[in-house]
Amino acid sequence: MVEAKKICKVYMTRKGPRDILKNISFCIHKGDKLGILGCNGAGKSTLIRVISGAELPTSGEIERTMSVSWPLALQGGFVGHMTGTDNLRFISRIYNVEFKQALEYVKDFSELGTYLYEPVNTYSSGMRARLAFAISMAVDFDCYLIDEISAVGDKRFNKKYKDTLFNEKGDRSLIMVSHFYGVIQEYCNKVAVLDQGRLAVFDDPKEAIALYDRVLAGQQITF
Protein backbone atom coordinates (compact mmCIF):
# COMPACT_ATOMS: atom_id res chain seq x y z
CA MET A 1 0.00 0.00 0.00
CA VAL A 2 1.04 3.59 -0.68
CA GLU A 3 -1.07 6.15 1.14
CA ALA A 4 -0.80 9.92 1.00
CA LYS A 5 -2.26 11.60 4.07
CA LYS A 6 -3.10 15.31 3.76
CA ILE A 7 0.08 16.15 1.85
CA CYS A 8 0.95 19.81 1.57
CA LYS A 9 4.02 21.23 -0.16
CA VAL A 10 5.03 24.88 0.04
CA TYR A 11 7.97 26.47 -1.77
CA MET A 12 9.38 29.84 -0.81
CA THR A 13 9.65 32.30 -3.70
CA ARG A 14 10.74 35.92 -3.99
CA LYS A 15 7.10 36.87 -3.70
CA GLY A 16 6.55 34.74 -0.63
CA PRO A 17 5.32 31.18 0.02
CA ARG A 18 3.65 29.31 -2.82
CA ASP A 19 1.32 26.39 -2.15
CA ILE A 20 2.04 23.63 -4.68
CA LEU A 21 0.14 20.73 -3.08
CA LYS A 22 -2.86 21.28 -0.81
CA ASN A 23 -4.13 18.52 1.51
CA ILE A 24 -3.70 15.71 -1.00
CA SER A 25 -4.87 12.27 0.09
CA PHE A 26 -5.17 8.99 -1.78
CA CYS A 27 -4.40 5.30 -1.30
CA ILE A 28 -3.36 2.60 -3.75
CA HIS A 29 -2.99 -1.10 -3.08
CA LYS A 30 -1.05 -3.88 -4.75
CA GLY A 31 -1.82 -4.02 -8.45
CA ASP A 32 -3.56 -0.63 -8.59
CA LYS A 33 -2.56 1.65 -11.43
CA LEU A 34 -3.24 5.32 -10.73
CA GLY A 35 -2.90 7.93 -13.44
CA ILE A 36 -2.69 11.59 -12.40
CA LEU A 37 -3.59 14.21 -15.00
CA GLY A 38 -2.49 17.81 -14.71
CA CYS A 39 -1.45 20.75 -16.86
CA ASN A 40 2.15 21.95 -16.99
CA GLY A 41 3.04 23.52 -13.67
CA ALA A 42 0.23 21.80 -11.78
CA GLY A 43 2.66 20.11 -9.37
CA LYS A 44 2.73 16.60 -10.85
CA SER A 45 6.51 16.16 -10.67
CA THR A 46 6.56 17.61 -7.15
CA LEU A 47 3.95 15.06 -6.08
CA ILE A 48 5.91 12.20 -7.62
CA ARG A 49 9.09 13.32 -5.84
CA VAL A 50 7.26 13.49 -2.52
CA ILE A 51 5.78 10.01 -3.02
CA SER A 52 9.24 8.64 -3.84
CA GLY A 53 10.81 10.26 -0.79
CA ALA A 54 13.16 12.43 -2.85
CA GLU A 55 11.44 15.44 -1.26
CA LEU A 56 9.69 15.75 2.08
CA PRO A 57 6.21 17.24 2.33
CA THR A 58 5.79 20.49 4.21
CA SER A 59 3.06 18.73 6.19
CA GLY A 60 1.25 15.41 6.01
CA GLU A 61 2.88 12.04 5.46
CA ILE A 62 3.36 9.21 2.97
CA GLU A 63 2.87 5.69 4.31
CA ARG A 64 4.57 2.98 2.27
CA THR A 65 4.13 -0.72 2.99
CA MET A 66 5.57 -1.76 -0.36
CA SER A 67 8.80 -0.82 -2.11
CA VAL A 68 8.56 2.28 -4.31
CA SER A 69 10.82 3.17 -7.24
CA TRP A 70 12.44 6.49 -7.96
CA PRO A 71 10.60 8.53 -10.64
CA LEU A 72 11.36 6.66 -13.86
CA ALA A 73 11.81 9.79 -15.96
CA LEU A 74 14.33 11.16 -13.46
CA GLN A 75 17.86 10.99 -14.92
CA GLY A 76 19.55 13.43 -12.58
CA GLY A 77 20.60 10.84 -10.00
CA PHE A 78 23.63 9.59 -11.91
CA VAL A 79 27.17 10.54 -10.97
CA GLY A 80 28.45 12.01 -14.22
CA HIS A 81 32.14 11.13 -13.93
CA MET A 82 31.30 7.49 -13.10
CA THR A 83 30.62 4.92 -15.80
CA GLY A 84 27.19 3.45 -16.37
CA THR A 85 28.48 0.23 -14.81
CA ASP A 86 29.76 2.02 -11.71
CA ASN A 87 26.46 3.85 -11.27
CA LEU A 88 24.69 0.50 -11.48
CA ARG A 89 27.08 -0.98 -8.90
CA PHE A 90 26.32 1.89 -6.51
CA ILE A 91 22.53 1.55 -6.97
CA SER A 92 22.76 -2.24 -6.57
CA ARG A 93 24.38 -1.78 -3.16
CA ILE A 94 21.70 0.66 -2.03
CA TYR A 95 18.84 -1.65 -3.04
CA ASN A 96 20.58 -4.91 -2.12
CA VAL A 97 20.54 -6.22 -5.70
CA GLU A 98 23.04 -8.84 -6.91
CA PHE A 99 25.34 -6.77 -9.14
CA LYS A 100 26.40 -9.37 -11.72
CA GLN A 101 22.82 -10.39 -12.40
CA ALA A 102 21.73 -6.76 -12.65
CA LEU A 103 24.65 -5.98 -14.99
CA GLU A 104 23.66 -8.71 -17.43
CA TYR A 105 20.08 -7.43 -17.39
CA VAL A 106 21.12 -3.80 -17.96
CA LYS A 107 23.50 -4.78 -20.76
CA ASP A 108 20.72 -6.57 -22.60
CA PHE A 109 17.97 -4.06 -21.87
CA SER A 110 19.83 -0.79 -22.46
CA GLU A 111 21.64 -1.89 -25.64
CA LEU A 112 24.39 0.60 -24.80
CA GLY A 113 27.22 -1.77 -25.69
CA THR A 114 30.68 -0.47 -24.80
CA TYR A 115 29.22 2.89 -23.71
CA LEU A 116 28.12 1.17 -20.50
CA TYR A 117 31.78 1.36 -19.48
CA GLU A 118 32.13 5.07 -20.30
CA PRO A 119 31.37 8.05 -18.00
CA VAL A 120 27.70 8.96 -17.96
CA ASN A 121 28.51 12.62 -18.68
CA THR A 122 29.58 11.51 -22.18
CA TYR A 123 26.12 10.05 -22.88
CA SER A 124 23.48 11.69 -25.02
CA SER A 125 20.11 12.35 -23.34
CA GLY A 126 18.68 9.29 -25.08
CA MET A 127 21.50 7.08 -23.78
CA ARG A 128 21.00 8.36 -20.24
CA ALA A 129 17.30 7.60 -20.54
CA ARG A 130 18.06 4.04 -21.71
CA LEU A 131 20.37 3.52 -18.76
CA ALA A 132 17.82 4.98 -16.33
CA PHE A 133 15.00 2.76 -17.54
CA ALA A 134 17.22 -0.33 -17.68
CA ILE A 135 18.38 0.12 -14.09
CA SER A 136 14.82 0.83 -12.97
CA MET A 137 13.68 -2.46 -14.45
CA ALA A 138 16.65 -4.33 -12.94
CA VAL A 139 15.52 -3.40 -9.43
CA ASP A 140 12.36 -5.30 -8.49
CA PHE A 141 9.96 -2.72 -7.04
CA ASP A 142 6.37 -3.29 -5.89
CA CYS A 143 5.29 0.13 -7.16
CA TYR A 144 6.74 2.10 -10.06
CA LEU A 145 6.54 5.89 -10.26
CA ILE A 146 6.39 7.32 -13.78
CA ASP A 147 6.86 11.02 -14.46
CA GLU A 148 5.62 11.97 -17.94
CA ILE A 149 6.45 8.76 -19.80
CA SER A 150 7.76 9.56 -23.25
CA ALA A 151 9.49 7.94 -26.17
CA VAL A 152 13.00 6.69 -25.42
CA GLY A 153 15.22 5.80 -28.35
CA ASP A 154 13.83 4.27 -31.52
CA LYS A 155 10.39 2.72 -31.99
CA ARG A 156 11.67 -0.80 -31.26
CA PHE A 157 13.29 0.19 -27.96
CA ASN A 158 10.22 2.25 -27.02
CA LYS A 159 8.06 -0.85 -27.46
CA LYS A 160 10.57 -2.93 -25.49
CA TYR A 161 10.49 -0.86 -22.33
CA LYS A 162 6.69 -0.44 -22.45
CA ASP A 163 6.25 -4.21 -22.83
CA THR A 164 8.54 -4.75 -19.85
CA LEU A 165 6.91 -2.13 -17.64
CA PHE A 166 3.26 -2.72 -18.49
CA ASN A 167 3.22 -6.44 -19.39
CA GLU A 168 6.08 -8.34 -17.75
CA LYS A 169 5.66 -6.28 -14.59
CA GLY A 170 1.93 -5.87 -15.08
CA ASP A 171 1.13 -7.18 -11.60
CA ARG A 172 2.98 -4.26 -9.99
CA SER A 173 1.38 -1.03 -8.87
CA LEU A 174 1.89 2.16 -10.86
CA ILE A 175 1.54 5.85 -10.15
CA MET A 176 1.85 7.75 -13.41
CA VAL A 177 1.60 11.50 -13.96
CA SER A 178 1.03 13.12 -17.32
CA HIS A 179 -0.57 16.09 -19.03
CA PHE A 180 -1.83 13.75 -21.79
CA TYR A 181 -4.61 11.30 -21.00
CA GLY A 182 -4.08 8.87 -23.90
CA VAL A 183 -1.40 6.79 -22.16
CA ILE A 184 -3.22 7.02 -18.81
CA GLN A 185 -6.45 5.77 -20.38
CA GLU A 186 -4.54 2.83 -21.83
CA TYR A 187 -2.78 1.63 -18.69
CA CYS A 188 -4.52 2.95 -15.55
CA ASN A 189 -7.63 1.67 -13.75
CA LYS A 190 -7.90 4.75 -11.52
CA VAL A 191 -7.47 8.33 -12.71
CA ALA A 192 -7.04 11.55 -10.73
CA VAL A 193 -6.93 15.21 -11.72
CA LEU A 194 -4.45 17.62 -10.12
CA ASP A 195 -5.38 21.28 -10.45
CA GLN A 196 -4.49 24.34 -8.35
CA GLY A 197 -2.74 22.07 -5.85
CA ARG A 198 -5.76 19.86 -5.18
CA LEU A 199 -6.38 16.27 -6.24
CA ALA A 200 -9.64 14.54 -7.15
CA VAL A 201 -9.50 10.74 -7.58
CA PHE A 202 -12.02 8.79 -9.68
CA ASP A 203 -12.63 5.04 -10.02
CA ASP A 204 -14.24 5.76 -13.40
CA PRO A 205 -11.58 7.18 -15.78
CA LYS A 206 -14.30 8.78 -17.93
CA GLU A 207 -15.30 11.05 -15.05
CA ALA A 208 -11.69 12.13 -14.53
CA ILE A 209 -11.18 12.84 -18.22
CA ALA A 210 -14.38 14.90 -18.36
CA LEU A 211 -13.11 16.98 -15.43
CA TYR A 212 -9.67 17.36 -17.01
CA ASP A 213 -11.27 18.58 -20.25
CA ARG A 214 -12.93 21.33 -18.19
CA VAL A 215 -9.53 22.22 -16.69
CA LEU A 216 -8.00 22.39 -20.18
CA ALA A 217 -10.85 24.63 -21.29
CA GLY A 218 -9.93 27.08 -18.52
CA GLN A 219 -13.06 26.52 -16.45
CA GLN A 220 -12.91 27.15 -12.71
CA ILE A 221 -12.92 23.85 -10.87
CA THR A 222 -13.98 23.35 -7.27
CA PHE A 223 -12.78 20.12 -5.61
Side-chain angles (χ1 to χ4, degrees), residues 154-171:
D154 56 30
K155 183 177 181 179
R156 181 184 56 80
F157 186 83
N158 195 31
K159 180 179 184 302
K160 179 180 180 178
Y161 85 76
K162 285 187 176 180
D163 283 345
T164 301
L165 180 60
F166 297 118
N167 295 328
E168 292 181 25
K169 296 181 181 289
D171 61 333

Side-chain angles (χ1 to χ4, degrees), residues 64-138:
R64 308 173 188 86
T65 59
M66 54 186 173
S67 60
V68 177
S69 78
W70 55 83
L72 260 60
L74 180 65
Q75 302 174 43
F78 294 130
V79 180
H81 69 268
M82 290 169 52
T83 67
T85 303
D86 288 338
N87 274 277
L88 172 61
R89 191 189 308 276
F90 178 70
I91 292 170
S92 295
R93 288 174 179 170
I94 293 175
Y95 289 95
N96 197 28
V97 174
E98 205 283 314
F99 171 70
K100 290 184 179 179
Q101 182 178 345
L103 178 59
E104 290 305 312
Y105 184 92
V106 170
K107 279 182 180 178
D108 178 67
F109 192 95
S110 69
E111 302 175 5
L112 288 172
T114 58
Y115 281 102
L116 199 56
Y117 302 93
E118 298 295 331
V120 170
N121 59 17
T122 66
Y123 289 15
S124 67
S125 59
M127 292 165 66
R128 291 173 67 97
R130 283 177 177 243
L131 180 63
F133 275 99
I135 294 178
S136 299
M137 296 299 99

Side-chain angles (χ1 to χ4, degrees), residues 49 83 98 150 154 158 163 176 185 199 205 211 214 220:
R49 289 195 299 270
T83 67
E98 205 283 314
S150 58
D154 56 30
N158 195 31
D163 283 345
M176 179 191 305
Q185 269 187 304
L199 189 76
L211 178 62
R214 291 171 58 196
Q220 189 70 30

Side-chain angles (χ1 to χ4, degrees), residues 176-201:
M176 179 191 305
V177 301
S178 180
H179 65 277
F180 176 62
Y181 52 65
V183 67
I184 283 180
Q185 269 187 304
E186 186 174 358
Y187 296 113
C188 297
N189 63 321
K190 292 183 177 181
V191 182
V193 177
L194 180 63
D195 183 56
Q196 299 180 37
R198 302 191 181 276
L199 189 76
V201 183

